[in-house]
Amino acid sequence: MPTDIIMPQMGESIVEGTITKWLKKPGDKVQRDEPLFEISTDKVDAEIPAPASGVLQEIKVTEGTTVGVNTIVGTIAADGEAAAKPAAASAKSAPAAAAPPPKEEKKAAAPPATPVHEEDEEARSSPLVRKIAREHGVSLSQISGTGLGGRITKQDIMQFIESQGSSQPAPSAPSAPAQPAAAAPAPRPAAPAPYPGDLVPMTNMRKLIAKHMIESRRTSAHVHCMYEVDFTRIVNLRAKHKSGFEQRHGARLTFMPFFVRAAVIALQQWPILNANIEGDNIHYHRHINMGIAVALDWGLIVPVLKNAGDLNFLGLQRGITDLGERARTKKLKPEDVEGSTFTITNPGQFGAVFGLPIINQPNSAIMGVGGITKQPMVITDKDGTDSIAIRSVVHLTLGYDHRLIDGAVADQFMAQVKKNLETWTEEVG
C-alpha cells in the first residue's frame, strides 16, 4: 500500500498551507525524514520530511496550491510498487515536473538544457539560496551542497561567494560558452531584486501575516505602555560571564533569556496577562508558553518555548537558541509554533528605540524589547544624593488587550519586569 503524504498542521490556528516547492519529482527515491516539499503558512515556512522511504509515486497537489491541513498531497510507494504508475500520474498532477523524461535527465549534465538545469538547481536549494545566487550572479551548478541529499545550504553559497572574491561568473558567460556554467546566468536578469515601480506579488506567508495582523487589530482593543529600564547591571554581568558561559555550556550568552526570565516572574504574579478571552470566559493558562518572534529573510515566525516557567536560566538560553536556529533553517515542527500564551518581540536588534507591537492572537499581551543604548541618567544613591551617570538603557513596551487587562494591571506588570531586570540577582549558570 502506498503511504499518503499529508499536509501537516503547522499551528493550532492554522487550517491550510501552500506548497511552495516540491524537492523531489515523481519516480525519485526518497528516504524517511528526508526533506520532501516546502510549505508556507502565516506562522512558518518549513521543509516537510518524507513520512516513509520508497519512491515518490504521485504528486496530487502542485506547487503554488493552497490546501487544507490533513489533505493528501502525494503518495510514496515502496521501491517495488512504483514502476509504471508515477509517469502517468505526474502527467496529470504535475506537468512541469514530467516535462523532462527520466532518460533525458541523465543527459542534462552534458548539454546546457536550461529548463532541466534550472529544475535541478531548484530541487536542491531553498528560495533564500536561489535569491542569493541571483544577486551575486552565481550558478548553483558550481556548488557542491553539504545538506541532506546534496542540498545547497546558505552556508555553502556564502562560502562559495567568499572564495570567489571579486570574480563574478556572470560576466565571463559570453566569452566562455564551452563551460556548462556559462548558460546558467542568462535567465537571471529576468528575476532581479525588485526595483521602485515594480509590481511584485506577495508571498503566501506575507499575505497571511497581513490578514492575521488586521484580524488582531479588529479583535483586540490595543493599548500600549512603555517603560525605561536601567540595564547596566545585566550588560556588565553578561560582559563578565559570556566567555566562560560559552566554554562551559557550548552556547552563546545573549540578552533574550534575561528578558524572558523577568517576564516569567512577572507573569507568575500577574497571571491575567498569561490568559486569554474565550467567548464570555477568561482562560487562565496553567503553563507559561513563551512565544519569541524570530525575524527571517522571508518573513517572521514565532516559535514557542514551552513551560518557560519551569526552566532555569541555562534552560531558557538553550531553548531560545535552539528555536532560533531551527526557525532559520526551516526545521521547526508543528508543535514548535503553537500554544503560546505570551509573546516577546525584539525590534531593538535592528536599532529601534522601541516598538508598538500588534498582539499575537490568541494571546492577550506582547512585550517589545527596544535597542540597548548608553544614555545619561540621574542616579540617586542610598543617601538621597543625585548624580548624572552614563548608563545602559533599554525601553520595553507592552501591547495588551484592554478588553481583558486594565491599565493599572499592565503598569504593575511592567513595573515588576523593570524591577526584575534592574535588581537582577540570579546566577546565569
Side-chain angles (χ1 to χ4, degrees), residues 172-378:
S172 64
S175 59
Q179 297 181 359
R188 288 194 180 97
Y195 287 97
D198 287 352
L199 185 64
V200 181
M202 282 187 177
T203 64
N204 183 67
M205 188 180 195
R206 178 54 52 195
K207 286 188 289 186
L208 292 173
I209 288 175
K211 175 184 175 183
H212 283 276
M213 292 300 96
I214 293 297
E215 288 179 351
S216 181
R217 280 292 195 185
R218 290 172 177 167
T219 300
S220 297
H222 280 68
V223 179
H224 292 86
C225 60
M226 181 178 69
Y227 275 68
E228 186 176 76
V229 178
D230 185 347
F231 207 55
T232 308
R233 179 189 294 263
I234 289 177
V235 168
N236 293 339
L237 182 67
R238 176 178 177 267
K240 178 180 178 181
H241 291 286
K242 64 180 181 179
S243 178
F245 186 92
E246 184 168 356
Q247 290 176 2
R248 289 192 302 273
H249 305 298
R252 289 194 313 117
L253 178 59
T254 67
F255 288 120
M256 184 54 71
F258 292 96
F259 295 115
V260 172
R261 181 61 182 154
V264 164
I265 295 171
L267 288 170
Q268 291 169 339
Q269 298 180 44
W270 304 98
I272 190 68
L273 280 94
N274 197 52
N276 69 283
I277 295 175
E278 294 183 2
D280 292 329
N281 303 306
I282 300 174
H283 183 187
Y284 287 86
H285 296 287
R286 186 181 303 272
H287 301 289
I288 297 173
N289 295 334
M290 190 67 68
I292 302 174
V294 177
L296 307 172
D297 291 335
W298 57 93
L300 182 74
I301 189 171
V302 186
V304 182
L305 187 61
K306 302 292 178 64
N307 301 325
D310 299 333
L311 299 176
N312 61 14
F313 185 89
L314 177 59
L316 291 174
Q317 179 66 85
R318 283 177 169 168
I320 292 167
T321 300
D322 173 65
L323 288 173
E325 289 177 351
R326 289 195 288 123
R328 295 182 184 94
T329 56
K330 298 185 179 180
K331 301 300 182 186
L332 290 174
K333 298 177 182 178
E335 57 267 27
D336 293 327
V337 293
E338 62 186 12
S340 68
T341 59
F342 185 87
T343 302
I344 294 180
T345 184
N346 183 20
Q349 65 181 308
F350 302 112
V353 176
F354 65 89
L356 301 176
I358 296 175
I359 296 168
N360 179 33
Q361 298 294 328
N363 297 174
S364 295
I366 181 171
M367 188 172 80
V369 178
I372 302 169
T373 60
K374 289 186 177 182
Q375 298 181 19
M377 292 187 71
V378 175

Side-chain angles (χ1 to χ4, degrees), residues 4 7-8 23 38 102 160 164 203 233 245 254 268 271-272 388 418 426:
D4 290 334
M7 170 63 74
L23 306 177
E38 295 179 356
F160 178 84
Q164 294 299 299
T203 64
R233 179 189 294 263
F245 186 92
T254 67
Q268 291 169 339
I272 190 68
I388 296 177
K418 173 182 170 75
E426 290 190 23

